Amino acid sequence: MKASRELESIHDSFLSSLTLLEGMISSLREGVIVIAKDWQIFASNPAARSLFGWSKIDSRYLQDVVENEEIRQAFRLALETGGRTETKIEILVNFDNRVYDLRVAPLSFAGSLEDRHAIGIFYDITRLERLEKVRQEFLSNVSHELRTPLTSILAFVETLENGALEDPDNSHRFLDVIRRNAERMHHLIDDILELSAIEAGKITVNPQPVDLSRLVEEVWSTLAEKAAKRGVTFLNQIQLETSVFADTRRLEQILINLLGNAVKFNREGGSVTVSYQKLNGLNQICVADTGEGIAPEHLPRIFERFYRTDTARSRELGGTGLGLAIVKHLARLHRGEVRVESTLGKGSIFTVELADV
Ligand code: ADP
């Protein structure tokens, strides 16, 4: 009687361990597949089933439901030689090309080689792979952007060393080019550091009431000289004492970038108009220019880092190609957005929407 009660309790605890194990494997985000020696699928979890789009897999054979040769090969190795593999594989899941780190290992029950199974675990590394690609592209862009002014600086220094120093007119001109290129590198490094800090989540906004009209005037005063040289006029349509709740320094950065571009990409004798309205609880600031405009094919990518419609021209104007990416991030830090409408040859309107954070 006592023995049978003990057996019952061992049986119960075995069952509850099994249920626990099953529950754990079912809730894993990684796909798990176990196959038997004859390739019949012995067990799989929901993640694996949704990965391959299987609704029901009982008693099916792996080779009938998985076409990918790399996956089959990894299982074959585990079953036939007891080998372990780690492979990067690509699978099309719901029309999306996803990347997995697949690890397959042999699984023997009670140490019996005769009854060897194989277990495969699919780790989704798509996001990591994409991030790595973005990081590599960013590094290569940064190197390229830094190399251009540096090459120019070195070339002009060499020219000066080779005799141009004796020619006062030219030497001043060359020194000016060197200084402008060094400033560009400085500007670029500032923008890169700023963008990295924002993307790393190191920048927080410290919102307070900001007198918008005054801030816009202050920003314009830093651009007025450049604008006057090109005959670009300014129209501030924001009512006096309009107050928005935002981080003053960050909002100033947004305005410097947008107003700076509106001057840079304007035509001779053009104008820049800044206006404000409150819409559905959002502060909407519009910066409109009468410049060259942006062709429709560029519009979807204009806020990407280093994206420019004309790289040579942007560089010539002292641009880094990072201004709009910074604006986008700063707007998002205010739980807002930035968007653009543009007509080629007529001008562009950049609209920043900021929530009262
Ligand atoms: P940049 O340093 O080149 O100004 P931005 O990120 O600020 O970099 O802008 C990216 C690109 O978007 C610019 O090189 C330019 O091609 C385009 N652009 C930005 N603002 C305007 C504008 N107001 N009018 C026309 N093109 C613009």
Side-chain angles (χ1 to χ4, degrees):
M1 191 65 182
K2 190 166 166 246
S4 98
R5 227 179 287 130
E6 266 172 18
L7 261 180
E8 234 172 67
S9 108
I10 289 172
H11 181 245
D12 284 354
S13 82
F14 173 72
L15 276 184
S16 57
S17 304
L18 209 61
T19 317
L20 184 70
L21 190 66
E22 244 181 53
M24 276 166 56
I25 293 178
S26 287
S27 61
L28 280 182
R29 278 200 306 161
E30 287 75 28
V32 180
I33 298 175
V34 180
I35 65 169
K37 190 147 184 79
D38 63 356
W39 286 73
Q40 192 169 30
I41 296 169
F42 180 77
S44 66
N45 69 348
R49 292 197 285 274
S50 82
L51 179 60
F52 292 102
W54 303 332
S55 47
K56 192 164 153 277
I57 47 112
D58 299 349
S59 327
R60 288 164 87 178
Y61 292 86
L62 189 78
Q63 70 270 33
D64 296 337
V65 283
V66 171
E67 278 178 14
N68 186 310
E69 188 45 43
E70 279 172 291
I71 301 177
R72 290 181 182 186
Q73 177 60 18
F75 277 95
R76 189 174 297 125
L77 199 79
L79 286 178
E80 291 175 4
T81 67
R84 291 170 175 268
T85 20
E86 194 178 326
T87 359
K88 195 158 87 175
I89 52 159
E90 284 185 24
I91 308 179
L92 200 63
V93 184
N94 296 330
F95 305 106
D96 183 20
N97 211 14
R98 304 201 66 86
V99 187
Y100 289 84
D101 174 18
L102 166 64
R103 295 180 192 196
V104 181
L107 197 65
S108 303
F109 293 110
S112 148
L113 285 184
E114 283 309 297
D115 194 22
R116 190 191 277 143
H117 285 51
I119 179 166
I121 305 183
F122 296 76
Y123 297 90
D124 190 341
I125 53 166
T126 316
R127 209 172 101 78
L128 271 179
E129 289 280 306
R130 284 181 189 158
L131 282 175
E132 178 59 15
K133 194 163 160 252
V134 169
R135 196 184 66 87
Q136 276 172 4
E137 270 174 19
F138 183 62
L139 270 182
S140 111
N141 275 328
V142 167
S143 321
H144 181 72
E145 293 292 333
L146 285 173
R147 195 184 299 128
T148 317
L150 200 55
T151 307
S152 174
I153 289 174
L154 288 173
F156 280 99
V157 167
E158 209 172 301
T159 316
L160 285 171
E161 282 172 349
N162 288 343
L165 208 52
E166 317 306 329
D167 170 357
D169 279 355
N170 269 333
S171 61
H172 274 105
R173 203 162 52 80
F174 293 165
L175 277 176
D176 190 48
V177 178
I178 291 173
R179 188 181 41 76
R180 270 194 288 122
N181 277 293
E183 277 171 5
R184 238 184 76 198
M185 288 174 72
H186 198 263
H187 192 180
L188 187 66
I189 290 168
D190 278 352
D191 274 3
I192 291 169
L193 289 177
E194 179 72 18
L195 200 59
S196 313
I198 301 173
E199 289 185 354
K202 286 193 191 141
I203 299 218
T204 47
V205 286
N206 176 23
Q208 45 196 294
V210 182
D211 182 334
L212 186 63
S213 181
R214 212 166 79 194
L215 185 64
V216 166
E217 289 291 341
E218 279 168 17
V219 169
W220 182 260
S221 68
T222 66
L223 297 163
E225 199 186 318
K226 211 189 263 177
K229 274 192 194 145
R230 310 196 52 217
V232 173
T233 51
F234 176 54
L235 193 61
N236 180 359
Q237 290 186 331
I238 304 170
Q239 280 192 358
L240 286 177
E241 293 177 17
T242 297
S243 178
V244 296
F245 203 60
D247 184 307
T248 317
R249 201 170 94 72
R250 302 294 164 201
L251 182 54
E252 186 182 2
Q253 258 179 305
I254 292 178
L255 292 168
I256 288 174
N257 278 310
L258 292 183
L259 290 172
N261 281 348
V263 172
K264 263 195 314 194
F265 299 105
N266 221 314
R267 60 175 163 80
E268 290 275 338
S271 66
V272 176
T273 308
V274 185
S275 56
Y276 166 86
Q277 61 174 333
K278 188 132 191 169
L279 207 69
N280 303 326
L282 289 172
N283 297 300
Q284 215 176 60
I285 305 165
C286 292
V287 178
D289 66 64
T290 54
E292 60 203 52
I294 304 163
E297 67 267 26
H298 295 299
L299 289 177
R301 303 196 55 193
I302 209 82
F303 296 99
E304 285 176 21
R305 18 188 214 194
F306 294 119
Y307 190 86
R308 293 175 274 206
T309 59
D310 181 343
T311 308
R313 173 113 195 286
S314 152
R315 287 200 185 123
E316 199 184 292
L317 295 169
T320 62
L322 294 175
L324 288 181
I326 292 177
V327 169
K328 178 185 74 183
H329 279 98
L330 293 177
R332 289 188 180 166
L333 279 178
H334 284 83
R335 288 191 292 116
E337 257 314 332
V338 54
R339 51 173 201 275
V340 58
E341 291 154 63
S342 190
T343 313
L344 258 189
K346 282 203 159 163
S348 314
I349 305 173
F350 284 83
T351 304
V352 190
E353 276 181 349
L354 308 175
D356 271 333
V357 280

